Amino acid sequence: MEQINNISNVQMDDSKTVVEIKNLRKSFGKQEVLKDVTLQLYKGENLVVLGKSGSGKSVLIKCIVRLLDPDYGSIKVLGDDVSFIKRNELSKLRMKIGFLFQSGALYDSMTVKENLEFPLRRIKKKMTQKLMDEKIAEVLENVGLLDALHKMPSQLSGGMRKRISLARTIIVDPQIMLYDEPTTGLDPVTSDEISLLINQVQKKYKTSSIIITHDIECARATADRLVMLHEGEVYKDGNIGDYENSDDPFIKSFFKG
Amino acid sequence: MKTKLPVVKIVPKIRDATIKISEKTIVKTEQANEFLVGVADFFLFLARTIRETFSRNFEFKEFLRQCHQIGFKSLPLISITGAIMGLVLTIQTRPILDGFGAVSLLPSMVAISLVREIGPVITALICAGKVGSGIGAELGSMKVTEQIDAMEVSSTNPMRFLVVTRVLAATLMIPILVLYADAMGIMGSWLGVNIKGEVSFVLFISQAFSVFELIDFLPAVVKTFFFGAVIGLVGSYKGYTAGRGTESVGVAANSAVVLASLLVIIVDMIAVQITDMLI
């Protein structure tokens, strides 16, 4: 194991930590997916979590929003330990977190407009219809799909679904963004566009993001810092240069082959 | 000559037999355990549904949408099956009553059969197929494509939004569909009577309801609310607890129909026993 918790030149002040994970463990039956994961997400950074399929990357971010309950360890999000807060407090905390699912997870029975209105009506309850329409137009313009307003999800391509899904996530102005394999299943051109959008979202909405991926090009384009998971543990923590210059065979195989 | 050989032969056989029995026992125990966990899980789901039903922020718009989906969109199917039910029942019963010289009792006999038993049960079974499988497949595919998770992380309670609305809509709509099927059945019966004779609609209706009492009608209507609740609940449970693969969508839809149909028959049996005690 090359370096564990050696946060390189992107090391930041602990007071700016927005997500703090300590000694996280999660098993499914006898299969231990996360063995002992400790990592931090700092304010304003794009943290890419790399790893092979089945290394527990998606499980990690699902634990952050408590779609899955950890077996051991603590996860603090904006100062709150998600394992111990009440359901209504968790609900309030989730309002500050945007989650882009691997499949897009657009509601099939709703149009694009209804999909975008859905979180707005629940999170920004006092918003008028006029303001809502303006906000919808703004986010759709940001993802370059203003003309898709009245389309059904089934009428959209894979890339378009990801963009609409991203629009639905950013519409409630989250402070933290969690991207689960944002470029999986997309062609290289669309993948680059999504990576670009992730950077634009970070700059425009001042979000702190965790990007789960095994797409090296996406990692290169978006990462301020990278954490590599291997066999349920943090294998390396550093910036893109640290990985590209590494002599570790496992990291080399990931980056060069 | 102290016989050692038989001992050597017998011991491994006993050992083998013991091992086989214990493996079978383990498998059976695991199956029984799985079944009991499934039953407990279903009742926990029922308890959560009841709790969410009486919580604040009822999703009224989604409830209305589900009433439209379950009620209005089932009307063509229920119309055809209801009318055919009445027609066939009349055609099949007529020769028997004719043998006793009691053809005049045909309208009331068909009406009582339809309203008390055949209408509610057949309509509920059709709805178990159409509505139960629809809910199971829809929620199952939402689970597989992470839409339920997406709802949860956007601070929406999926139990309240998806399950409570569907269970309540089914509970309300199935009785209405049953009453509608009964009406269509009586119309079909009138058509059946007119194949071999000429009876006015007014006369037919007055004869059909001449022997009707509240006890014929009330328990039949009450039990349909339970049929609706069972169909909505089983469909929602099977869909909501579906696995992660696409195969589980089919499994959820299929098992929703099977379990809902079985429970409808069981609820009917219990309802008939209770009604029998009350009369």
Side-chain angles (χ1 to χ4, degrees), chain A residues 80-98:
Chain A
D80 291 322
D81 193 327
V82 293
S83 305
F84 295 101
I85 56 176
K86 288 177 185 169
R87 194 171 173 87
N88 59 341
E89 287 167 354
L90 178 66
S91 194
K92 280 179 192 164
L93 185 64
R94 280 173 173 167
M95 291 176 189
K96 298 171 187 166
I97 306 171

Side-chain angles (χ1 to χ4, degrees), chain A residues 94-100 169 172 174-179:
Chain A
R94 280 173 173 167
M95 291 176 189
K96 298 171 187 166
I97 306 171
F99 197 119
L100 182 76
T169 312
V172 290
Q175 294 176 35
I176 299 165
M177 285 290 298
L178 305 173
Y179 298 90

Side-chain angles (χ1 to χ4, degrees), chain B residues 94-113:
Chain B
R94 188 181 185 120
I96 302 163
L97 289 180
D98 211 7
F100 293 106
V103 185
S104 59
L105 292 176
L106 188 62
S108 52
M109 190 179 164
V110 169
I112 283 182
S113 305

Side-chain angles (χ1 to χ4, degrees), chain B residues 71-92:
Chain B
F72 186 74
K73 289 197 172 175
S74 301
L75 282 180
L77 180 68
I78 298 301
S79 304
I80 295 166
T81 47
I84 291 173
M85 228 161 34
L87 183 72
V88 169
L89 196 61
T90 306
I91 293 169
Q92 296 273 28

Side-chain angles (χ1 to χ4, degrees), chain A residues 62 65-67 87 90-92 94-95 97 99 101-110 114 117-119 121-123 125 161 168 180, chain B residues 48 51-52 57 59 61-62 65-66 138 141-142 144-161 166 240 244:
Chain A
K62 283 183 178 172
V65 285
R66 230 176 96 185
L67 280 175
R87 194 171 173 87
L90 178 66
S91 194
K92 280 179 192 164
R94 280 173 173 167
M95 291 176 189
I97 306 171
F99 197 119
F101 286 86
Q102 191 173 345
S103 59
L106 292 177
Y107 308 127
D108 289 332
S109 57
M110 301 179 196
E114 287 166 340
E117 274 179 356
F118 190 86
R121 286 191 189 283
R122 278 152 180 83
I123 294 172
K125 288 177 182 169
R161 288 171 77 97
R168 187 181 66 183
D180 189 6
Chain B
R48 272 187 74 189
R51 193 186 67 193
E52 295 297 343
N57 302 328
E59 301 280 355
K61 202 177 159 192
E62 178 64 10
R65 201 177 76 83
Q66 288 307 319
E138 189 188 8
S141 79
M142 286 184 82
V144 170
T145 55
E146 298 177 309
Q147 291 175 51
I148 294 180
D149 286 345
M151 214 167 260
E152 194 151 350
V153 295
S154 65
S155 295
T156 302
N157 185 334
M159 279 294 288
R160 202 178 297 156
F161 188 82
R166 279 161 178 77
Y240 203 84
R244 287 282 173 188

Side-chain angles (χ1 to χ4, degrees), chain B residues 9-254:
Chain B
K9 280 180 183 175
I10 290 164
V11 171
K13 274 187 180 174
I14 291 168
R15 270 191 197 151
D16 289 349
T18 312
I19 291 162
K20 277 178 189 171
I21 290 165
S22 52
E23 276 173 0
K24 273 186 181 176
T25 311
I26 289 165
V27 171
K28 290 283 176 198
T29 311
E30 279 175 357
Q31 284 174 348
N33 185 43
E34 217 169 275
F35 173 75
L36 290 173
V37 168
V39 172
D41 207 29
F42 180 74
F43 280 101
L44 279 175
F45 188 83
L46 170 67
R48 272 187 74 189
T49 307
I50 293 168
R51 193 186 67 193
E52 295 297 343
T53 303
F54 296 103
S55 63
R56 284 182 301 169
N57 302 328
F58 181 67
E59 301 280 355
F60 192 69
K61 202 177 159 192
E62 178 64 10
F63 167 72
L64 288 182
R65 201 177 76 83
Q66 288 307 319
C67 285
H68 179 260
Q69 284 287 118
I70 294 168
F72 186 74
K73 289 197 172 175
S74 301
L75 282 180
L77 180 68
I78 298 301
S79 304
I80 295 166
T81 47
I84 291 173
M85 228 161 34
L87 183 72
V88 169
L89 196 61
T90 306
I91 293 169
Q92 296 273 28
T93 316
R94 188 181 185 120
I96 302 163
L97 289 180
D98 211 7
F100 293 106
V103 185
S104 59
L105 292 176
L106 188 62
S108 52
M109 190 179 164
V110 169
I112 283 182
S113 305
L114 276 174
V115 172
R116 283 182 70 157
E117 192 60 31
I118 296 171
V121 173
I122 299 282
T123 309
L125 289 176
I126 289 167
C127 289
K130 187 187 177 293
V131 177
S133 68
I135 295 174
E138 189 188 8
L139 297 195
S141 79
M142 286 184 82
K143 179 82 181 280
V144 170
T145 55
E146 298 177 309
Q147 291 175 51
I148 294 180
D149 286 345
M151 214 167 260
E152 194 151 350
V153 295
S154 65
S155 295
T156 302
N157 185 334
M159 279 294 288
R160 202 178 297 156
F161 188 82
L162 298 172
V163 178
V164 170
T165 52
R166 279 161 178 77
V167 173
L168 286 184
T171 309
L172 189 71
M173 286 296 115
I174 303 292
I176 294 172
L177 287 173
V178 167
L179 291 176
Y180 177 72
D182 290 346
M184 291 307 292
I186 289 167
M187 292 282 280
S189 177
W190 176 65
L191 287 176
V193 167
N194 276 288
I195 290 171
K196 284 189 179 176
E198 202 177 316
V199 180
S200 75
F201 187 66
V202 175
L203 178 65
F204 180 85
I205 293 292
S206 66
Q207 279 196 339
F209 289 97
S210 60
V211 290
F212 251 88
E213 287 176 23
L214 191 64
I215 199 72
D216 296 313
F217 183 74
L218 203 58
V221 172
V222 171
K223 73 180 175 186
T224 56
F225 284 97
F226 289 97
F227 290 167
V230 159
I231 292 165
L233 195 69
V234 169
S236 300
Y237 172 72
K238 288 291 177 185
Y240 203 84
T241 56
R244 287 282 173 188
T246 45
E247 188 199 350
S248 26
V249 178
V251 173
N254 183 266

